[in-house]
Amino acid sequence: MLLRLLARLIGSGKAPAEAALGLDRWRAGDYTGAEAAFRAALKTKAGDPEPLYGLGAVLVAQKRMDEGVEALRQAVEARPRDVTYRVALGNALAQGKLTAEAVEHLAAAVALAPENPELEARLHKPLLDLCDWDRIDAAIERLRGAAQSEPPERWTLRAHPWVVLSLPIENHLRQEVLRRHAQRVAARAAKLPALRRKTRAPGPRLRLAYVSADFRSHPVGQLAAGLYEHHDRKRFELFAYSMLGDDGSEHRRRLRAAFEHFVDVEDFDAQALAQRVADDGIDILVDLAGYTGKTLTEAFALRAAPVQVNFLGYPSPMQAPFIDYLVADPIIAPAEEFGAIAEAVVHLPPSYQANDDRQATAPETPARETAGLPPSGFVFCCFNQTYKIERVLFSAWMRLLAAVPGAVLWLLASNAQAEANLRAAAAAQGVDPARLRFARWARRPEHLARTRLADLFLDTHTCNGHTTSSDALWAGVPLLTWSGDAFAGRVAASLLTAIGLPELIAPTLPDYERIALGLARDPQQLRALRDRLAANRTTHPLFRTQAYTRRLERAYEAMWARHLAGEPPAHIAVD
């Protein structure tokens, strides 16, 4: 959208000169200069939508959400039929958790430009966040219809490769979206300048680099902190390329200290990142972002490093010819599915997921009333984000509440409209909406401590809890999952296997309900499970970070050995 607006400004000659200067400053990463130029443009021509848009976008980029949204609202009011402004405002509102209003503007953009398939893809995540199941079901049916009536290069634009992992659709459609997206990334990268490569003599250590926007207080950063710290510095020289700046957190400082080389690439484009990786002589480049929010995937398509790996941050194959390996395990990517995965698969049993055995938990468990829970009664819990909650699963949860008098369902607070929608759905099934309790934001140590108050964690299906599932098990709360048909829906099964509780993996929804109801009605059985979980936390592999790191390092060394031998990537099984 930035380039489109820049072309409009220069081409039309109608916008104040200061606005063009603002866009130049913005492109150069000078947000302060860009803001000043856009404000100067508005003094020259008050209410002009172009500098309003530019000002709003620059403010949003600086996380000054209220000011940015207000400027973008004024741009939309000045030119309500401009799709660019509608989309920018919708995206900003979604970032600021004003999700219902975001849907309003994104839906208006779809109506203004129905010929643009990418616009509808922007609607899916806000609708999922709202638990607006009627509209998401309609959107899924449109996606299925497009898959039957449109060529793949068009219909696959109707779903975002990150959000598609949470859409309850057939997995073959999901994987086609990813394959086509990878092709588009490769085509964009082919237009970029070739990398300047220099020969580096093999050193005593492998140069291993991780690329992520999540070297901060973020679920991926929390999972992998111990991994980075435990890497063997005699065998690996460790690099981090950070795509987002310092959030000021203690966790950021911990992560930064774990690397020998920590490179801030927030202002880099894909070509600049790829060139830096090549200049640094990286041997193995690990993508922790995949197709999530902040990515520079074209850097991988440019072949920045000889061996490139998809790991941890994107719970799916990327289906990309420029990614050599997918780190997985036999549960989330069984051998019989290798033929449908573009990457070579690394089996890292019992679970692919890194976990940190040093994560801090507040020592005192709060009183139930302090956490917003009733003083007595069974507590079903799900702290997964609302976009993962599906209608069919929520209906099962309501049947459990109806069958267990006094029980409550403890959910993570998201946005006011989602909470209202969930309460309305409960009432429609004859359940008192007051039996839904919402946990507000808390610092991570306090959140882990209050999680202990739950009796049973109920996992979501199409996209499981990943970090949240680990959090529940770390806090000592048994986790029940109904395993899905793809990587993102099998993660909890992988974690439960690694901590020795496979009986909590339900193959079907009726089994899921049966197990949950049985545990809610049998305090002794639940207590025995909690005791086993407490014992297994220190004896089973899931939270043994150093041992996990050694297994992953063996996988990296096997990848590198194949490369040195001139052999193509191949499936690797780590003992």
Side-chain angles (χ1 to χ4, degrees):
M1 286 190 293
L2 170 59
L3 292 176
R4 174 180 169 183
L5 179 57
L6 181 62
R8 179 192 300 167
L9 284 164
I10 295 175
S12 70
K14 295 179 181 179
E18 295 91 341
L21 173 63
L23 285 162
D24 286 340
R25 292 293 81 218
W26 186 9
R27 283 183 123 187
D30 177 9
Y31 292 148
T32 302
E35 179 184 345
F38 287 128
R39 291 192 186 279
L42 288 169
K43 288 181 180 178
T44 302
K45 192 175 180 181
D48 191 337
E50 275 86 2
L52 278 169
Y53 167 86
L55 176 61
V58 165
L59 292 169
V60 168
Q62 297 176 80
K63 305 300 181 186
R64 293 160 61 184
M65 302 305 296
D66 291 345
E67 298 171 84
V69 163
E70 181 55 34
L72 291 171
R73 279 200 183 105
Q74 292 178 39
V76 168
E77 289 167 4
R79 194 171 289 162
R81 297 192 62 79
D82 190 295
V83 172
T84 300
Y85 299 164
R86 288 280 188 180
V87 171
L89 177 55
N91 289 341
L93 289 164
Q95 286 184 55
K97 302 296 184 184
L98 298 172
T99 314
E101 189 181 351
V103 166
E104 173 191 333
H105 289 285
L106 293 171
V110 172
L112 288 166
E115 74 286 352
N116 185 344
E118 294 181 88
L119 292 178
E120 184 153 10
R122 296 176 181 272
L123 261 175
H124 293 160
K125 178 61 163 55
L127 289 174
L128 289 168
D129 285 335
L130 291 174
C131 299
D132 191 338
W133 296 319
D134 288 341
R135 292 174 73 178
I136 204 65
D137 286 348
I140 288 172
E141 286 310 306
R142 288 194 296 274
L143 182 63
R144 289 184 175 126
Q148 294 179 351
S149 62
E150 296 178 357
E153 59 270 19
R154 179 175 172 82
W155 77 260
T156 51
L157 292 169
R158 297 182 182 274
H160 190 282
W162 165 235
V163 181
V164 76
L165 304 186
S166 302
L167 290 178
I169 60 173
E170 295 77 11
N171 194 41
H172 70 90
L173 297 179
R174 193 179 291 123
Q175 299 307 315
E176 186 65 15
V177 169
L178 305 186
R179 277 189 287 271
R180 295 289 172 168
H181 183 75
Q183 291 171 9
R184 289 189 282 271
V185 170
R188 291 195 296 268
K191 299 176 182 178
L192 298 175
L195 300 182
R196 303 181 306 277
R197 301 186 187 276
K198 56 186 179 183
T199 303
R200 182 177 75 88
R205 298 186 294 167
L206 274 179
R207 289 190 175 180
L208 173 64
Y210 292 92
V211 180
S212 180
D214 300 325
F215 295 120
R216 56 195 172 103
S217 184
H218 179 277
V220 174
Q222 290 154 0
L223 288 175
L227 163 68
Y228 306 142
E229 292 168 337
H230 280 294
H231 268 308
D232 185 347
R233 302 307 172 83
K234 295 179 180 178
R235 295 152 60 204
F236 296 91
E237 185 177 356
L238 213 57
F239 291 72
Y241 297 104
S242 176
M243 294 188 291
L244 276 182
D246 192 342
D247 63 355
S249 66
E250 179 61 36
H251 198 74
R252 167 77 169 202
R253 289 188 285 275
R254 179 185 171 192
L255 293 173
R256 191 180 189 103
F259 289 89
E260 291 175 74
H261 311 276
F262 195 95
V263 186
D264 183 355
V265 295
E266 183 175 17
D267 296 328
F268 283 36
D269 60 17
Q271 203 278 335
L273 171 61
Q275 189 60 61
R276 175 61 189 261
V277 170
D279 290 345
D280 287 342
I282 299 303
D283 298 315
I284 300 176
L285 186 64
V286 182
D287 188 1
L288 291 167
Y291 302 137
T292 56
K294 171 74 172 178
T295 62
L296 291 172
T297 317
E298 287 81 0
F300 288 82
L302 284 168
R303 273 288 162 188
V307 176
Q308 301 188 147
V309 183
N310 171 17
F311 170 60
L312 192 64
Y314 184 71
S316 170
M318 290 175 67
Q319 302 293 13
F322 47 82
I323 297 294
D324 301 306
Y325 292 95
L326 166 68
V327 176
D329 61 52
I331 291 175
I332 57 177
E336 58 268 25
E337 295 180 5
F338 283 0
I341 299 173
E343 301 100 306
V345 177
V346 175
H347 269 176
L348 197 69
S351 177
Y352 85 103
Q353 185 174 286
N355 275 284
D356 178 22
D357 57 7
R358 284 184 50 206
Q359 52 191 313
T361 306
E364 297 297 326
T365 303
R368 287 171 62 119
E369 292 88 344
T370 302
L373 297 172
S376 62
F378 196 89
V379 178
F380 293 108
C381 171
C382 181
F383 285 151
N384 297 350
Q385 294 187 53
T386 53
Y387 73 82
K388 298 182 180 184
I389 300 175
E390 300 167 49
R391 187 200 305 266
V392 64
L393 204 60
F394 188 79
S395 294
W397 293 348
M398 294 305 98
R399 289 192 292 272
L400 288 171
L401 289 187
V404 183
V408 295
L409 175 62
W410 197 18
L411 302 172
L412 192 66
S414 173
N415 61 83
Q417 188 59 53
E419 292 176 28
N421 289 345
L422 291 170
R423 288 191 173 103
Q429 286 193 232
V431 173
D432 181 356
R435 296 176 70 184
L436 271 56
R437 301 300 176 98
F438 292 90
R440 306 298 164 187
W441 182 88
R443 290 178 62 253
R444 181 169 172 78
E446 284 70 35
H447 171 68
L448 289 171
R450 71 181 175 183
T451 300
R452 301 186 192 115
L453 295 170
D455 293 300
L456 180 65
F457 192 105
L458 297 173
D459 191 26
T460 46
H461 175 59
T462 297
C463 188
N464 294 164
H466 301 166
T467 307
T468 47
S469 292
S470 292
D471 287 350
L473 296 171
W474 178 260
V477 179
L479 167 82
L480 176 63
T481 191
W482 167 29
S483 206
D485 66 349
F487 188 139
R490 297 169 176 168
V491 170
S494 167
L495 303 179
L496 286 164
T497 300
I499 206 159
L501 296 174
E503 66 267 40
L504 293 178
I505 304 168
T508 68
L509 181 57
D511 289 319
Y512 179 92
E513 289 189 60
R514 174 182 54 77
I515 296 169
L517 187 57
L519 290 171
R521 289 175 170 173
D522 189 341
Q524 285 188 314
Q525 184 185 9
L526 183 64
R527 171 46 58 191
L529 263 180
R530 292 184 79 106
D531 291 345
R532 256 177 66 210
L533 175 55
N536 291 2
R537 201 181 83 162
T538 57
T539 61
H540 280 60
L542 184 61
F543 295 112
R544 299 182 68 180
T545 309
Q546 185 172 13
Y548 173 90
T549 305
R550 297 289 90 82
R551 291 196 299 277
L552 182 60
E553 288 173 342
R554 291 203 298 275
Y556 287 149
E557 288 171 329
M559 298 173 196
W560 189 243
R562 291 193 63 85
H563 171 73
L564 288 182
E567 298 173 341
H571 306 304
I572 295 170
V574 177
D575 292 337

